[in-house]
Amino acid sequence: MEELKYHYKYPHPSVTTDCVVFGYDGLRLNVLLIERGADPFKGHWAFPGGFLNIDESAQQGAKRELFEETGLRDAYIHQFHTFSAVNRDPRERVISIAYYALVRISEVKGGDDAAKAQWFPLDSVPPLAFDHDMMLRMAIKELRRQIHFEPIGLELLPEKFTMTQLRHLYEAILNKKCNHRHFSTEMLKTGFLTQLNETKAANNKATSLYRFNREKYNQMTKNGFHLDL
Amino acid sequence: MEELKYHYKYPHPSVTTDCVVFGYDGLRLNVLLIERGADPFKGHWAFPGGFLNIDESAQQGAKRELFEETGLRDAYIHQFHTFSAVNRDPRERVISIAYYALVRISEVKGGDDAAKAQWFPLDSVPPLAFDHDMMLRMAIKELRRQIHFEPIGLELLPEKFTMTQLRHLYEAILNKKCNHRHFSTEMLKTGFLTQLNETKAANNKATSLYRFNREKYNQMTKNGFHLDL
DNA sequence: GCAAAAGTGTTATCATTACACCCATGG
DNA sequence: CCATGGGTGTAATGATAACACTTTTGC
């Protein structure tokens, strides 16, 4: 047995970060799951995560775990809840600070370790390990709230996109249809979209392409705004 | 020196809960602060809080701390963020799971301990200890978001109240005027208000009194709804 | 009696939706 | 050449706000 080095008068919990990684495939919202190779919950699916180092903040820890699993360095992440039920891990007392990330599925590489990772559409997620079912429900709830107060999309859509693509993303996240006239006017008046001169001759007449105005986008992420959908 | 009992191979952080207690006095939103009696930050004001026991969840810990400080057993509390910057406490690595509570100022008794506690209106809060300034900003931001998705007021208003009182509460929280016609129709159509036969002959002609419909209120707290203000 | 607080009637403006129609592409 | 997936014009409906006016109380 290894030497035990750190001594406390009162017991301290272990602290982990977990990351619900949302990816958009242009049609549906997906989550990235890892198949556990060891007990407890061996063979079950779970979110990527791991122990927090003593010299890193939770955000740094979550980004490190995300990088190890997806190869993404600067993804957008957002802390949404800390899970602390006494028996949530059968081995020992573990508190998990949970984040969600928004990424483009196409940019994700396989993880460092040989862990099996796989994307699942939101309506086909298998039963998860630990309290990760609740974790997923709360992540979705928080994402659906956040969409009313911060811009979303820069991390999920290609560089250039049509208004319809942006609406489809919002519809996938909110799981409801949005009126396209209203959606378009609301989006344009936020000011974080730049209309390009280019158009896309897709399956219909020339359609305008848009790009995110990063400066305005970041400012609105920081200061917040209010969107009625 | 006391005997040290708990041994870990890797260092574990300490975990605390802190509670931003919001109280409404019928006019403004206030927060409850404790004057620190010992270093670090001796003499500075801070939110009530303390170490999490190994056999309680964060929610139980926050409620325990709240009870010790206010005498309130069943206040409404809501977790809003976990603070984990490496040097947020100068003594050791401390992670704080932060909640806010909504209480009636009139029901708060002095705390168990001799700690000096005092209510401060939101626009007169002194500089706070640790990272509690940021904590307060984030608590207010989250409360202002939450008000769009869950009913608020049962914990802050008297049993019976007028529509104007309810609107004043919302205006105090959102820090902006609400159109009184619109406010009234929006509130009534949520269904969590019950109009009483009684009226209040206050400073004007007879005004209807309302009560919260607890069943509907709790259901909407749980399932969420959407309110545009 | 008058100022202040709060409710009501009327109307103007704007947001939102519904419906019908048009256009360009891909088979 | 037609079905499909969007886009647009017009108009109805409903939400929101502004303004003037009323009621009652406290001073």
Side-chain angles (χ1 to χ4, degrees):
Chain A
M1 192 182 185
E2 304 251 7
E3 190 193 358
L4 300 177
K5 291 179 59 185
Y6 296 92
H7 306 259
Y8 303 104
K9 186 175 169 193
Y10 299 105
H12 285 198
S14 293
V15 176
T16 63
T17 60
D18 284 308
C19 199
V20 179
V21 186
F22 289 114
Y24 184 59
D25 60 10
L27 186 66
R28 290 184 295 185
L29 209 56
N30 289 254
V31 286
L32 184 69
L33 297 175
I34 311 286
E35 189 171 16
R36 288 181 59 80
D39 269 322
F41 294 101
K42 180 171 176 174
H44 283 68
W45 296 89
F47 296 117
F51 290 98
L52 185 64
N53 292 332
I54 200 70
D55 60 350
E56 66 186 358
S57 67
Q59 165 140 334
Q60 288 164 347
K63 286 207 165 180
R64 176 177 52 74
E65 296 287 346
L66 185 64
F67 172 70
E68 289 170 8
E69 204 54 59
T70 65
L72 295 173
R73 275 241 178 259
D74 287 308
Y76 170 85
I77 67 170
H78 177 82
Q79 187 191 309
F80 68 93
H81 197 73
T82 294
F83 295 85
S84 65
V86 174
N87 294 310
R88 58 181 295 280
D89 189 310
R91 293 164 295 184
E92 56 171 330
R93 182 73 203 276
V94 179
I95 289 173
S96 175
I97 305 173
Y99 286 74
Y100 59 77
L102 301 177
V103 307
R104 275 181 278 270
I105 288 183
S106 60
E107 291 183 4
V108 171
K109 305 169 192 58
D112 276 2
D113 36 25
K116 257 197 283 185
Q118 193 180 317
W119 289 102
F120 290 84
L122 281 192
D123 54 10
S124 316
V125 173
L128 303 178
F130 305 104
D131 52 1
H132 287 199
D133 289 310
M134 178 166 60
M135 206 176 267
L136 177 58
R137 279 201 308 280
M138 292 190 69
I140 294 170
K141 187 173 173 183
E142 176 62 21
L143 176 59
R144 286 183 182 156
R145 288 184 174 204
Q146 190 191 345
I147 209 172
H148 296 278
F149 299 104
E150 289 175 32
I152 295 264
L154 179 57
E155 326 282 343
L156 293 169
L157 290 176
E159 181 72 16
K160 300 169 183 179
F161 52 87
T162 66
M163 188 61 79
T164 304
Q165 281 181 287
L166 182 62
R167 178 162 50 81
H168 284 342
L169 168 63
Y170 273 66
E171 291 175 343
I173 291 175
L174 292 169
N175 194 32
K176 69 167 194 185
K177 288 258 169 283
C178 299
N179 182 292
H180 67 282
R181 321 290 291 274
H182 181 216
F183 183 83
S184 175
T185 51
E186 286 291 312
M187 280 300 156
L188 289 175
K189 79 184 181 200
T190 63
F192 60 69
L193 295 182
T194 305
Q195 182 162 6
L196 302 175
N197 291 321
E198 302 170 69
T199 55
K200 179 180 171 186
N203 62 338
N204 57 355
K205 72 171 163 232
T207 300
S208 278
L209 284 171
Y210 298 86
R211 174 153 44 76
F212 287 106
N213 174 340
R214 282 184 191 248
E215 196 185 340
K216 198 82 197 277
Y217 190 100
N218 291 334
Q219 183 211 316
M220 295 184 109
T221 301
K222 192 149 159 274
N223 300 340
F225 74 122
H226 196 349
L227 183 65
D228 285 341
L229 283 180
Chain B
M1 192 181 179
E2 304 251 5
E3 188 192 359
L4 299 176
K5 291 178 60 183
Y6 296 93
H7 307 259
Y8 302 104
K9 186 174 168 193
Y10 300 104
H12 286 197
S14 293
V15 176
T16 62
T17 60
D18 284 307
C19 199
V20 179
V21 186
F22 288 114
Y24 183 58
D25 59 10
L27 185 66
R28 290 184 295 185
L29 209 56
N30 290 253
V31 286
L32 185 69
L33 297 175
I34 311 287
E35 190 172 14
R36 288 182 58 80
D39 270 323
F41 295 102
K42 180 172 177 174
H44 283 67
W45 296 89
F47 296 117
F51 290 99
L52 185 64
N53 293 331
I54 199 70
D55 60 351
E56 65 185 0
S57 67
Q59 166 140 331
Q60 288 164 346
K63 286 207 167 181
R64 177 177 52 75
E65 296 287 347
L66 186 64
F67 172 70
E68 290 170 6
E69 203 55 59
T70 66
L72 295 173
R73 275 243 178 258
D74 287 308
Y76 169 86
I77 67 170
H78 177 83
Q79 186 191 307
F80 69 93
H81 197 73
T82 295
F83 295 84
S84 65
V86 174
N87 294 309
R88 58 180 294 282
D89 188 310
R91 293 165 297 184
E92 55 170 333
R93 181 76 202 274
V94 179
I95 289 173
S96 175
I97 305 172
Y99 286 77
Y100 58 77
L102 302 176
V103 308
R104 274 182 278 271
I105 289 184
S106 60
E107 290 182 3
V108 172
K109 304 169 194 60
D112 276 4
D113 36 27
K116 257 197 284 184
Q118 192 179 317
W119 290 101
F120 290 84
L122 282 192
D123 54 11
S124 317
V125 173
L128 303 177
F130 304 104
D131 51 2
H132 288 198
D133 288 310
M134 179 167 59
M135 206 176 267
L136 177 58
R137 278 201 308 279
M138 293 191 67
I140 294 170
K141 187 173 173 184
E142 176 63 21
L143 176 59
R144 286 183 182 157
R145 289 185 173 204
Q146 189 190 348
I147 208 171
H148 297 278
F149 299 104
E150 290 175 30
I152 296 264
L154 179 58
E155 326 283 343
L156 293 168
L157 291 176
E159 182 73 14
K160 301 169 183 177
F161 51 87
T162 65
M163 188 60 79
T164 303
Q165 281 180 286
L166 182 62
R167 179 163 49 81
H168 283 344
L169 168 62
Y170 273 65
E171 290 176 344
I173 291 174
L174 292 170
N175 195 30
K176 69 167 195 184
K177 288 261 169 275
C178 298
N179 181 294
H180 66 284
R181 322 289 290 273
H182 181 217
F183 183 84
S184 174
T185 51
E186 286 291 312
M187 280 300 155
L188 289 175
K189 79 185 181 200
T190 63
F192 60 69
L193 295 182
T194 305
Q195 183 163 8
L196 303 175
N197 291 322
E198 303 170 69
T199 54
K200 179 180 172 187
N203 62 339
N204 58 353
K205 70 175 164 227
T207 300
S208 279
L209 284 172
Y210 298 86
R211 175 154 42 77
F212 287 107
N213 173 340
R214 284 189 189 242
E215 196 186 338
K216 198 82 196 278
Y217 189 100
N218 291 334
Q219 183 211 315
M220 295 184 109
T221 300
K222 191 149 159 277
N223 301 340
F225 74 121
H226 196 348
L227 183 64
D228 285 340
L229 282 182

PDB file of all heavy atoms in Angstrom, chain B residues 82-95:
ATOM      1  N   THR B  82     -20.556  27.409  -7.441  1.00  0.00           N
ATOM      2  CA  THR B  82     -19.501  26.901  -6.568  1.00  0.00           C
ATOM      3  C   THR B  82     -18.218  27.654  -6.872  1.00  0.00           C
ATOM      4  O   THR B  82     -17.814  27.748  -8.029  1.00  0.00           O
ATOM      5  CB  THR B  82     -19.325  25.397  -6.775  1.00  0.00           C
ATOM      6  OG1 THR B  82     -20.512  24.744  -6.353  1.00  0.00           O
ATOM      7  CG2 THR B  82     -18.147  24.869  -5.970  1.00  0.00           C
ATOM      8  N   PHE B  83     -17.633  28.215  -5.828  1.00  0.00           N
ATOM      9  CA  PHE B  83     -16.454  29.062  -5.971  1.00  0.00           C
ATOM     10  C   PHE B  83     -15.216  28.262  -5.605  1.00  0.00           C
ATOM     11  O   PHE B  83     -15.163  27.653  -4.530  1.00  0.00           O
ATOM     12  CB  PHE B  83     -16.606  30.303  -5.086  1.00  0.00           C
ATOM     13  CG  PHE B  83     -17.747  31.169  -5.529  1.00  0.00           C
ATOM     14  CD1 PHE B  83     -19.042  30.901  -5.108  1.00  0.00           C
ATOM     15  CD2 PHE B  83     -17.536  32.207  -6.415  1.00  0.00           C
ATOM     16  CE1 PHE B  83     -20.107  31.686  -5.544  1.00  0.00           C
ATOM     17  CE2 PHE B  83     -18.587  32.992  -6.864  1.00  0.00           C
ATOM     18  CZ  PHE B  83     -19.881  32.728  -6.428  1.00  0.00           C
ATOM     19  N   SER B  84     -14.229  28.285  -6.497  1.00  0.00           N
ATOM     20  CA  SER B  84     -13.119  27.350  -6.342  1.00  0.00           C
ATOM     21  C   SER B  84     -11.772  27.935  -6.725  1.00  0.00           C
ATOM     22  O   SER B  84     -10.824  27.185  -6.926  1.00  0.00           O
ATOM     23  CB  SER B  84     -13.387  26.114  -7.195  1.00  0.00           C
ATOM     24  OG  SER B  84     -13.398  26.484  -8.570  1.00  0.00           O
ATOM     25  N   ALA B  85     -11.658  29.252  -6.820  1.00  0.00           N
ATOM     26  CA  ALA B  85     -10.352  29.834  -7.138  1.00  0.00           C
ATOM     27  C   ALA B  85      -9.338  29.353  -6.105  1.00  0.00           C
ATOM     28  O   ALA B  85      -9.653  29.250  -4.915  1.00  0.00           O
ATOM     29  CB  ALA B  85     -10.433  31.354  -7.151  1.00  0.00           C
ATOM     30  N   VAL B  86      -8.130  29.067  -6.551  1.00  0.00           N
ATOM     31  CA  VAL B  86      -7.153  28.393  -5.691  1.00  0.00           C
ATOM     32  C   VAL B  86      -6.826  29.211  -4.439  1.00  0.00           C
ATOM     33  O   VAL B  86      -6.671  28.653  -3.354  1.00  0.00           O
ATOM     34  CB  VAL B  86      -5.874  28.078  -6.500  1.00  0.00           C
ATOM     35  CG1 VAL B  86      -4.797  27.524  -5.591  1.00  0.00           C
ATOM     36  CG2 VAL B  86      -6.202  27.091  -7.609  1.00  0.00           C
ATOM     37  N   ASN B  87      -6.761  30.529  -4.590  1.00  0.00           N
ATOM     38  CA  ASN B  87      -6.358  31.343  -3.444  1.00  0.00           C
ATOM     39  C   ASN B  87      -7.492  32.153  -2.837  1.00  0.00           C
ATOM     40  O   ASN B  87      -7.245  33.198  -2.233  1.00  0.00           O
ATOM     41  CB  ASN B  87      -5.222  32.278  -3.863  1.00  0.00           C
ATOM     42  CG  ASN B  87      -3.976  31.480  -4.204  1.00  0.00           C
ATOM     43  OD1 ASN B  87      -3.546  30.633  -3.426  1.00  0.00           O
ATOM     44  ND2 ASN B  87      -3.415  31.724  -5.377  1.00  0.00           N
ATOM     45  N   ARG B  88      -8.713  31.667  -2.967  1.00  0.00           N
ATOM     46  CA  ARG B  88      -9.827  32.476  -2.460  1.00  0.00           C
ATOM     47  C   ARG B  88      -9.844  32.576  -0.938  1.00  0.00           C
ATOM     48  O   ARG B  88     -10.408  33.506  -0.372  1.00  0.00           O
ATOM     49  CB  ARG B  88     -11.175  31.979  -2.992  1.00  0.00           C
ATOM     50  CG  ARG B  88     -11.512  30.550  -2.683  1.00  0.00           C
ATOM     51  CD  ARG B  88     -12.871  30.186  -3.278  1.00  0.00           C
ATOM     52  NE  ARG B  88     -13.951  30.925  -2.657  1.00  0.00           N
ATOM     53  CZ  ARG B  88     -14.467  30.621  -1.467  1.00  0.00           C
ATOM     54  NH1 ARG B  88     -14.015  29.593  -0.763  1.00  0.00           N
ATOM     55  NH2 ARG B  88     -15.438  31.339  -0.963  1.00  0.00           N
ATOM     56  N   ASP B  89      -9.230  31.613  -0.259  1.00  0.00           N
ATOM     57  CA  ASP B  89      -9.045  31.715   1.197  1.00  0.00           C
ATOM     58  C   ASP B  89      -7.545  31.689   1.461  1.00  0.00           C
ATOM     59  O   ASP B  89      -6.860  30.760   1.033  1.00  0.00           O
ATOM     60  CB  ASP B  89      -9.744  30.531   1.899  1.00  0.00           C
ATOM     61  CG  ASP B  89      -9.760  30.697   3.419  1.00  0.00           C
ATOM     62  OD1 ASP B  89      -8.687  30.973   4.000  1.00  0.00           O
ATOM     63  OD2 ASP B  89     -10.838  30.543   4.009  1.00  0.00           O
ATOM     64  N   PRO B  90      -7.013  32.691   2.145  1.00  0.00           N
ATOM     65  CA  PRO B  90      -5.557  32.775   2.323  1.00  0.00           C
ATOM     66  C   PRO B  90      -4.987  31.663   3.201  1.00  0.00           C
ATOM     67  O   PRO B  90      -3.782  31.423   3.179  1.00  0.00           O
ATOM     68  CB  PRO B  90      -5.353  34.145   2.975  1.00  0.00           C
ATOM     69  CG  PRO B  90      -6.668  34.500   3.566  1.00  0.00           C
ATOM     70  CD  PRO B  90      -7.708  33.849   2.709  1.00  0.00           C
ATOM     71  N   ARG B  91      -5.808  30.955   3.967  1.00  0.00           N
ATOM     72  CA  ARG B  91      -5.290  29.953   4.903  1.00  0.00           C
ATOM     73  C   ARG B  91      -5.016  28.623   4.230  1.00  0.00           C
ATOM     74  O   ARG B  91      -3.984  28.002   4.394  1.00  0.00           O
ATOM     75  CB  ARG B  91      -6.293  29.747   6.037  1.00  0.00           C
ATOM     76  CG  ARG B  91      -6.436  30.949   6.928  1.00  0.00           C
ATOM     77  CD  ARG B  91      -7.678  30.844   7.786  1.00  0.00           C
ATOM     78  NE  ARG B  91      -8.895  30.826   6.988  1.00  0.00           N
ATOM     79  CZ  ARG B  91     -10.129  30.812   7.489  1.00  0.00           C
ATOM     80  NH1 ARG B  91     -10.295  30.791   8.800  1.00  0.00           N
ATOM     81  NH2 ARG B  91     -11.174  30.820   6.701  1.00  0.00           N
ATOM     82  N   GLU B  92      -6.018  28.138   3.467  1.00  0.00           N
ATOM     83  CA  GLU B  92      -5.869  26.832   2.855  1.00  0.00           C
ATOM     84  C   GLU B  92      -6.808  26.752   1.655  1.00  0.00           C
ATOM     85  O   GLU B  92      -7.578  27.669   1.402  1.00  0.00           O
ATOM     86  CB  GLU B  92      -6.240  25.730   3.875  1.00  0.00           C
ATOM     87  CG  GLU B  92      -7.632  25.934   4.453  1.00  0.00           C
ATOM     88  CD  GLU B  92      -8.117  24.750   5.280  1.00  0.00           C
ATOM     89  OE1 GLU B  92      -7.672  23.627   5.021  1.00  0.00           O
ATOM     90  OE2 GLU B  92      -8.957  24.964   6.181  1.00  0.00           O
ATOM     91  N   ARG B  93      -6.746  25.642   0.956  1.00  0.00           N
ATOM     92  CA  ARG B  93      -7.602  25.463  -0.211  1.00  0.00           C
ATOM     93  C   ARG B  93      -9.026  25.201   0.244  1.00  0.00           C
ATOM     94  O   ARG B  93      -9.311  24.154   0.848  1.00  0.00           O
ATOM     95  CB  ARG B  93      -7.100  24.277  -1.053  1.00  0.00           C
ATOM     96  CG  ARG B  93      -7.911  24.024  -2.306  1.00  0.00           C
ATOM     97  CD  ARG B  93      -7.581  25.046  -3.364  1.00  0.00           C
ATOM     98  NE  ARG B  93      -8.631  25.200  -4.370  1.00  0.00           N
ATOM     99  CZ  ARG B  93      -8.763  24.465  -5.458  1.00  0.00           C
ATOM    100  NH1 ARG B  93      -7.906  23.517  -5.713  1.00  0.00           N
ATOM    101  NH2 ARG B  93      -9.748  24.701  -6.312  1.00  0.00           N
ATOM    102  N   VAL B  94      -9.937  26.139  -0.049  1.00  0.00           N
ATOM    103  CA  VAL B  94     -11.336  26.001   0.354  1.00  0.00           C
ATOM    104  C   VAL B  94     -12.234  26.212  -0.852  1.00  0.00           C
ATOM    105  O   VAL B  94     -12.127  27.218  -1.556  1.00  0.00           O
ATOM    106  CB  VAL B  94     -11.720  27.015   1.448  1.00  0.00           C
ATOM    107  CG1 VAL B  94     -13.187  26.847   1.828  1.00  0.00           C
ATOM    108  CG2 VAL B  94     -10.839  26.856   2.674  1.00  0.00           C
ATOM    109  N   ILE B  95     -13.112  25.251  -1.076  1.00  0.00           N
ATOM    110  CA  ILE B  95     -14.117  25.364  -2.131  1.00  0.00           C
ATOM    111  C   ILE B  95     -15.448  25.655  -1.462  1.00  0.00           C
ATOM    112  O   ILE B  95     -15.817  24.996  -0.494  1.00  0.00           O
ATOM    113  CB  ILE B  95     -14.177  24.052  -2.941  1.00  0.00           C
ATOM    114  CG1 ILE B  95     -12.908  23.932  -3.785  1.00  0.00           C
ATOM    115  CG2 ILE B  95     -15.426  23.994  -3.804  1.00  0.00           C
ATOM    116  CD1 ILE B  95     -12.774  22.608  -4.501  1.00  0.00           C
TER     117      ILE B  95
END
